[in-house]
Amino acid sequence: MCGIVGFVSRSTPAVGPLVNGLRRLEYRGYDSAGVALEGTAGIKVYKQTGKVAELDKLLKSALKTEAESGEYAVGIAHTRWATHGLPTRANAHPHVADDGRLALVHNGIIENYAALRAGLEKRSIKFISQTDTEVLAHLIAAFDKGDFLAAVSQALKQVEGTYGIASISARHPGEMIVARKGSPLVIGLGEGETVVASDVSAIVARTRQVVYLKDGDIARITPEGVQIYSLDNAPVSRDVQQVDWDLGAIEKGGFEHFMLKEIHEQPDALRNTIRGRIDRQGATAILAGLNLSPRDLAAIRRLVVIGCGTSLHAGMVGKYLFESLADLPTSPEQAAEFRYSNPIVGPDDWAVALSQSGETADTLAAVRESIRKGALVSGLCNVVGSTIAREAGRGVYLHAGPEISVASTKAFTAQVTAMLLMALKMGRTRRLSHEEGVRIASEIERIPDLVADVIREEDEIARIAAKYAHADDMFFIGRGILYPAALEGALKIKEIAYVHAEGYQAAELKHGPIALLSAQTPVVALLADIPGKEKTVGNVQECRARQAPVVGVATKGDDDAAAQVDDVIFVPRTIPEISPIVSVVALQLFAYHVARLRGCEIDQPRNLAKSVTVE
Ligand code: G6P
């Protein structure tokens, strides 16, 4: 969603670092962009609808010479994903107040903005945008009696809602005030320069020394570094951390798209998820971050797995893993539903929040609600230091490396792998025998190679994708542990290829959706070898009897299943618990090639955001 970059230096021109930072945030999804620069001549604001490249053109023509851009060593920049008001230039950030002397960028939503705006309008303050953010800019200006940080604190105390903000003022040259509540902000400490961003990927090109702000923090940023306070003006200290990956991890490395790169990275990513986590002797998993003793695990009566989007689908796979390996009743929960349902969770329950970004607003709220109700809470996140990981206090990091493509791929397979490790550990404290544990553990160790086998089928998958790329409607069916895999296959193709797709439990097709089948509606059937596969093969027959062409994803060597479908994608033989991983990798490649042939913008699909930080 929206992205923030800020830059403060004594002499380095801010415009380059700001635009480069915005480029690194493009993957999050946005519809307009803008920059405010502060120099001796005051503050200048440039905004543009559409892509950062358009904004860059505007800046290049406005600041023609190096000397011109060298005048501005402080600046803030933003990519906006519209919430309040259309994606127009007027609604793009930064927003200004104090006759253009103050500029502000904001992520999040100010819920009481209408009341605040009415109050300001009564004082004859004129608004030029429809956004909630502009209200905050005017409030800060109204409170500014000479101390910028105090003015921002006072303004924020009036605000209900969520924010990550960065503000500069010509009245306070050379400093920037930033604050967060519910929307992440990271500060990068460079040599004679300080960088701020809503996402660490916009910082690593300049420094890898970072400080993560916590909710309720407000900070003064200068070229020398950062001073952090609470909103009540008490100094607080936050650790400086070292980012442990470099720029290469967030570049395309020769692939046409980030999505394709991330699909191909999966064998390595999953090796990292598994590394050091298998205890061969005990036939169990080592997950120190969970910080749960066998007694703690044995006391758990129910598992609640919470997530949104692809993470929810991974959580749905978790139900089968924990129920089959650990005899643990498991309910997958859509986070927004969970948080508002007055959920029944308590001390006997283990709530596990799945989130690639660790910042999804609804998932975070579900974590907080579970903590309030006394449940044991863990995070299963990819982004180290993310809010969910920190607030859950215990958990398992995926170690899949940065995921840039909006459509999630390696996070899904890493989440399922991490849950498999958790289910193994849990199972071994319960009824899973040593022998069974050994069998599961050694198959987990094969996951990276199994995924590499699927990726080797890419040419064949691309050939089949070409045959179906024209279809505007598709169905994905599966049962048991492959039912959530069908949902994930449908989601991928909706997200990146804009194909209307429905994921169904295979038996459910007969209860209505079969009415829609025709020769124009391909069905992708998940037929890997799991209990109940023959029943799905039966459902395939029902589809073909309605002339729907069928693509099967089947286990290598399963000629019987292959004979029942029009086209087959083979995946390697494995245990049922791992079948969603290999099947989904095939579906990721299928969706990717359909999208490519349809000429879609694969890494940044329309209307979508990588990290959904509003409800
Ligand atoms: C957005 C992304 C999805 C992602 C979902 C949950 O909708 O576009 O790809 O699955 O958020 O994100 P999370 O970071 O919590 O896994």
Side-chain angles (χ1 to χ4, degrees), residues 1 27-28 306-313 353-364 380-383 388 398 403 405-409 411-412 415 488 491-492 495 605 607-613:
M1 288 201 143
Y27 77 96
R28 297 171 64 92
I306 306 160
C308 298
T310 291
S311 292
L312 173 62
H313 295 155
L354 272 66
S355 177
Q356 188 287 127
S357 62
E359 303 294 347
T360 300
D362 284 321
T363 312
L364 174 58
L380 209 69
C381 300
N382 193 33
V383 177
I388 292 174
L398 303 179
E403 192 180 70
S405 154
V406 167
S408 186
T409 53
F412 175 89
Q415 282 166 337
E488 178 59 11
L491 179 63
K492 284 285 92 66
E495 287 179 304
N607 304 341
L608 300 186
K610 178 71 183 157
S611 173
V612 177
T613 47

Side-chain angles (χ1 to χ4, degrees), residues 296-304 328 345-351 373-376 426 430:
D296 295 332
L297 289 171
I300 293 166
R301 293 281 152 264
R302 187 177 67 124
L303 182 62
V304 183
L328 183 66
V345 281
D348 291 342
D349 300 319
W350 187 15
K373 295 210 150 137
L376 196 62
M426 188 96 193
R430 295 171 175 235

Side-chain angles (χ1 to χ4, degrees), residues 138-337:
H138 290 299
L139 270 184
I140 297 171
F143 281 116
D144 190 354
K145 304 284 178 277
D147 180 341
F148 195 16
L149 188 121
V152 178
S153 301
Q154 278 173 286
L156 290 175
K157 284 184 188 159
Q158 312 279 308
V159 159
E160 285 161 23
T162 55
Y163 53 77
I165 58 157
S167 185
I168 51 175
S169 162
R171 294 183 194 272
H172 308 279
E175 74 178 287
M176 174 184 303
I177 306 298
V178 302
R180 79 158 272 179
K181 184 179 157 211
S183 202
L185 272 188
V186 194
I187 298 160
L189 307 171
E191 292 283 313
E193 61 182 47
T194 310
V195 200
V196 175
S198 50
D199 178 329
V200 75
S201 57
I203 290 181
V204 280
R206 302 203 73 85
T207 174
R208 285 160 70 186
Q209 300 279 102
V210 300
V211 175
Y212 291 92
L213 289 191
K214 292 196 173 162
D215 275 355
D217 288 353
I218 178 166
R220 175 182 286 115
I221 310 284
T222 61
E224 285 72 40
V226 55
Q227 299 151 313
I228 308 175
Y229 302 87
S230 68
L231 277 192
D232 295 321
N233 211 22
V236 291
S237 90
R238 301 279 173 241
D239 296 341
V240 178
Q241 298 182 28
Q242 173 85 12
V243 179
D244 62 2
W245 45 269
D246 59 19
L247 215 52
I250 52 168
E251 287 179 342
K252 281 190 211 156
F255 285 92
E256 197 176 336
H257 296 99
F258 280 112
M259 183 179 179
L260 189 62
K261 177 186 174 226
E262 287 158 12
I263 293 172
H264 279 254
E265 272 171 358
Q266 287 177 108
D268 283 342
L270 299 174
R271 239 168 243 125
N272 289 336
T273 308
I274 299 165
R275 181 168 299 125
R277 286 174 164 170
I278 301 246
D279 165 7
R280 283 168 157 266
Q281 252 191 341
T284 184
I286 305 164
L287 296 165
L290 285 182
N291 200 15
L292 293 172
S293 68
R295 273 185 91 84
D296 295 332
L297 289 171
I300 293 166
R301 293 281 152 264
R302 187 177 67 124
L303 182 62
V304 183
V305 208
I306 306 160
C308 298
T310 291
S311 292
L312 173 62
H313 295 155
M316 292 173 75
V317 173
K319 174 181 169 67
Y320 298 87
L321 302 179
F322 286 101
E323 292 192 347
S324 80
L325 299 180
D327 293 334
L328 183 66
T330 303
S331 341
E333 299 275 353
Q334 202 284 339
E337 278 303 297

